């Protein structure tokens, strides 16, 4: 999940009104700025306009532990203290050091552990900073953090020199302060399926889609509604569809005999019911041609064939339907290439300009090429973040923005130049589900969670950001 962190911060900041070029994210370790593996670094520098803005960003982000105002950094305490003397003007620092302000200093290590004696010694090393207020370990008015990073013994991460940051805490993620992931954990969810999307991933997807209150969000592969629940958490009105009417209409029965469906999940969390739930085939969707740009975001996980392959309608001409209430329409296989072409076409028509399309694209290391990412004249690729699932395949969270109104002629020209929507990953089932001598298939990777496709559990641990005031640099711990 490391590649998701900076794009999530940039997406949330842009949603709140601060554009990526103004945020200007960069590694907090100067020697790593040009390193291709810099996304693995635990600390990053960013610019944000105010404490209030930083608190909003911190609270909203799922993969961020916190935002802090950088006061000083260095490879040693003398270097850190010297930097702290000049980084911020005295008039900015003094209000937080006054006799009337209670404070505390918390020591946090990354990549190594510190004994209590070592933490105490580190705090004492900061005494040249003129702290005048009383210490209060609980409920202090100002919390300072000494962040000590040493990744020399962490083989899985990018190694960086021993380095320290001293910073003032500004904002902490709701994941920490409100236990957000535990509130929505799938372990407590009433209505689930084998492909229900992981809670953390669903929330991250909605942040990438800039989902917010009073917006209308569509998930065209709703499944059991995990992405819809995440969008509803952020205050959006949600619409879901799925080709399987049994998922939308019937649901299942609980152990005590109670009917369960997507509406059950919304009632569980006290959300307003979805704006609509419809049985819809994306390949020949029933939405009116003149409906226009009604959605603010399309956030979804297309079916891509490892465990829950895609299906499209397969009309059986002349078939007599005996009972429409119980009839299940026949379907045919639906390749991912076809599915994604239909998805981008729908998004280019139905999204407002500035709205975002978020979806997962499965890939294999042997076949992946950035040229394989589906395109559309009305949509611009913003972010392409990889989640590694195992040694044989991974998936990428694709973030696209509608940058211009739908143009049927431009779309027709594009499709004429690219008539075949097939993707190399259309055969992912053969990669992920190796055939046994008996002819049966078995999974080659751990089961992952997702909606209407093949999901993925996320790596534990959230990033931490140290925010920069308008006059100084900001450090981001990821």
């Amino acid at each position: 999940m490391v590649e998701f962190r900076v794009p999530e911060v940039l997406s949330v900041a842009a949603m709140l009104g601060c554009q990526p070029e103004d945020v200007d994210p960069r590694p907090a370790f100067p020697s790593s700025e040009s390193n291709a593996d810099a996304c693995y670094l635990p600390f990053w520098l960013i610019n944000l306009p105010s404490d209030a803005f930083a608190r909003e960003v911190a609270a909203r982000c799922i993969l961020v532990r916190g935002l802090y105002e950088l006061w000083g950094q260095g490879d040693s305490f003398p270097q850190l203290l010297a930097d702290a003397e000049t980084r911020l003007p005295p008039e900015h620092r003094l209000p937080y050091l006054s006799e009337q302000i209670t404070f505390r200093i918390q020591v946090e290590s990354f990549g190594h552990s510190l004994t209590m004696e070592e933490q105490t010694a580190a705090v004492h090393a900061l005494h040249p900073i003129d702290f005048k207020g009383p210490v209060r370990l609980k409920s202090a008015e100002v919390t300072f953090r000494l962040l000590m990073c040493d990744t020399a013994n962490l083989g899985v991460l990018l190694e960086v020199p021993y380095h320290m940051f001293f910073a003032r805490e500004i904002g902490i993620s709701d994941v920490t302060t409100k236990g957000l992931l535990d509130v929505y954990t799938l372990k407590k969810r009433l209505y689930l399926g084998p492909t229900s999307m992981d809670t953390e991933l669903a929330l991250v997807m909605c942040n990438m889609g800039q989902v917010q209150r009073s917006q209308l969000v569509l998930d065209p592969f709703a499944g059991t509604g995990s992405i819809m629940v995440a969008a509803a958490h952020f205050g959006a009105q949600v619409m879901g569809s799925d080709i399987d009417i049994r998922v939308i209409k019937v649901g299942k029965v609980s152990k005590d005999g109670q009917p369960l469906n997507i509406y059950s999940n919304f009632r569980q969390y006290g959300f307003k019911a979805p704006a609509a739930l419809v049985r819809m085939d994306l390949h020949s969707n029933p939405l009116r041609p003149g409906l226009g740009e009604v959605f603010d975001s399309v956030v979804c996980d297309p079916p891509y064939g490892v465990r829950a392959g895609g299906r499209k309608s397969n009309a059986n001409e002349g078939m007599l339907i005996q009972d429409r209430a119980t009839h299940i329409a026949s379907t045919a296989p639906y390749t991912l290439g076809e599915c994604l072409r239909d998805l981008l076409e729908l998004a280019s028509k139905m999204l407002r300009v500035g709205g975002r399309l978020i979806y997962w694209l499965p890939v294999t290391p042997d076949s992946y090429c950035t040229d394989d990412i589906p395109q559309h004249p009305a949509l611009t690729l913003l972010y392409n973040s990889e989640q590694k699932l195992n040694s044989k395949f991974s998936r990428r969270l694709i973030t696209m923005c509608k940058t211009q109104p739908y143009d049927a002629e431009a779309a027709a020209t594009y499709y004429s130049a690219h008539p075949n929507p097939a993707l190399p990953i259309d055969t992912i089932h053969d990669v992920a589900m190796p055939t046994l001598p008996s002819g049966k298939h078995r999974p080659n990777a751990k089961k992952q969670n997702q909606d209407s496709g093949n999901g993925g559990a996320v790596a534990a641990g959230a990033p931490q950001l140290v925010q920069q005031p308008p006059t100084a640099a900001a450090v981001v711990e990821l």
Side-chain angles (χ1 to χ4, degrees):
M1 292 289 287
V2 291
E3 289 190 18
F4 296 68
R5 300 174 299 183
V6 171
E8 185 194 25
V9 172
L10 292 175
S11 294
V12 170
M15 179 185 71
L16 298 174
C18 189
Q19 297 308 309
E21 59 270 20
D22 298 319
V23 177
D24 186 26
R26 64 268 189 206
F29 306 89
S31 61
S32 303
E33 287 186 358
S34 60
N35 195 309
D37 294 325
C39 64
Y40 289 95
L41 291 171
F43 303 93
W44 279 63
L45 295 170
I46 61 174
N47 301 324
L48 294 177
S50 67
D51 280 13
F53 190 95
R55 279 189 286 270
E56 285 191 76
V57 173
R60 176 69 189 246
C61 286
I62 303 302
L63 301 176
V64 171
R65 287 181 57 189
L67 293 177
Y68 305 87
E69 177 184 71
L70 179 63
W71 279 38
Q73 65 173 311
D75 297 333
S76 64
F77 280 104
Q79 194 177 95
L80 182 150
L81 292 169
D83 186 48
E85 282 293 316
T86 59
R87 179 173 290 275
L88 296 175
E91 59 270 19
H92 182 87
R93 289 184 283 119
L94 290 178
Y96 305 106
L97 303 174
S98 70
E99 297 177 354
Q100 292 77 33
I101 300 296
T102 60
F103 77 98
R104 62 180 176 178
I105 300 175
Q106 295 182 335
V107 180
E108 181 176 341
S109 59
F110 183 87
H112 64 298
S113 59
L114 297 173
T115 65
M116 186 57 66
E117 290 76 15
E118 289 173 325
Q119 292 182 46
T120 301
V123 170
H124 285 306
L126 296 172
H127 280 179
I129 298 176
D130 193 15
F131 301 104
K132 296 179 180 179
V135 174
R136 182 180 294 173
L137 297 182
K138 292 185 178 181
S139 304
E141 294 173 275
V142 177
T143 296
F144 292 100
R145 290 284 183 101
L146 177 62
L147 306 167
M148 308 179 73
C149 183
D150 184 0
T151 66
N153 296 320
L154 292 182
V156 297
L157 295 178
L158 177 68
E159 291 190 8
V160 296
Y162 181 83
H163 204 74
M164 297 181 292
F165 304 91
F166 181 66
R168 176 177 64 88
E169 181 182 293
I170 297 177
I172 302 297
S173 171
D174 281 354
V175 170
T176 299
T177 61
K178 298 182 179 180
L180 206 59
L181 300 185
D182 184 62
V183 171
Y184 296 110
T185 177
L186 297 183
K187 295 178 181 179
K188 303 175 184 178
R189 189 76 55 85
L190 292 177
Y191 180 49
L192 285 176
T195 58
S196 294
M197 174 64 71
D198 176 86
T199 298
E200 187 173 23
L201 284 175
L203 292 166
V204 170
M205 291 173 71
C206 288
N207 273 345
M208 298 298 292
Q210 300 181 327
V211 173
Q212 53 188 316
R213 188 171 302 279
S214 301
Q215 290 188 340
L216 183 59
V217 177
L218 171 67
D219 180 358
F221 311 101
T224 56
S226 292
I227 294 174
M228 296 172 65
V229 166
H233 164 75
F234 290 124
Q237 291 286 317
V238 293
M239 174 179 171
S241 69
D242 201 285
I243 193 171
D244 189 346
I245 195 170
R246 293 166 296 186
V247 175
I248 295 294
K249 183 179 180 180
V250 180
K252 63 182 182 180
V253 178
S254 67
K255 293 180 180 179
D256 58 0
Q258 297 299 314
L260 298 176
N261 50 35
I262 292 177
Y263 292 101
S264 305
N265 291 340
F266 275 66
R267 287 193 295 270
Q268 177 182 0
Y269 300 116
F271 296 147
K272 182 186 295 187
L277 280 175
V278 298
R279 191 271 182 187
M280 185 174 80
D281 175 10
L282 188 66
H283 189 62
S284 54
N285 74 77
L287 299 176
R288 297 196 308 272
L291 197 55
E293 301 173 339
V294 296
F295 296 110
D296 297 283
S297 303
V298 175
V299 185
C300 61
D301 186 21
Y304 37 85
V306 175
R307 285 186 296 143
R311 307 292 294 181
K312 61 183 178 180
S313 295
N314 182 29
N316 191 345
E317 295 184 9
M319 179 180 179
L320 180 63
I321 299 176
Q322 300 292 339
D323 185 355
R324 288 190 175 275
T326 59
H327 175 71
I328 304 297
S330 62
T331 60
Y334 192 24
T335 67
L336 182 64
E338 288 182 281
C339 178
L340 293 183
R341 172 160 291 192
D342 292 338
L343 175 63
L344 268 63
E345 179 70 7
L346 175 73
S348 64
K349 289 180 177 178
M350 307 299 290
L351 278 174
R352 63 172 173 82
V353 174
R356 290 193 173 190
L357 167 64
I358 313 296
Y359 71 91
W360 288 101
L361 175 69
V363 300
T364 60
D366 294 337
S367 65
Y368 170 69
C369 174
T370 54
D371 293 339
D372 293 333
I373 299 175
Q375 303 292 326
H376 192 283
L379 301 171
T380 299
L381 177 66
L382 297 181
Y383 304 112
N384 172 11
S385 307
E386 183 184 26
Q387 182 196 19
K388 294 181 179 179
L389 300 177
N390 60 31
S391 61
K392 290 193 173 182
F393 72 101
S394 61
R395 59 180 181 175
R396 292 179 172 271
L397 188 62
I398 303 299
T399 301
M400 306 187 84
C401 179
K402 182 173 178 177
T403 51
Q404 57 186 348
Y406 181 80
D407 185 330
E409 184 177 346
T413 301
Y414 177 81
Y415 294 144
S416 177
H418 305 82
N420 185 5
L423 296 174
I425 205 66
D426 284 340
T427 58
I428 190 173
H429 185 274
D430 298 330
V431 176
M433 307 282 280
T435 303
L436 298 175
S438 63
K440 297 180 179 179
H441 290 276
R442 69 182 177 193
N444 190 45
K446 289 183 178 180
K447 287 185 177 180
Q448 308 287 346
N449 290 327
Q450 75 164 33
D451 268 283
S452 295
N454 332 324
V458 300
Q464 190 170 20
L465 303 182
V466 181
Q467 185 263 345
Q468 164 178 2
T471 56
V475 177
V476 178
E477 183 192 355
L478 301 178

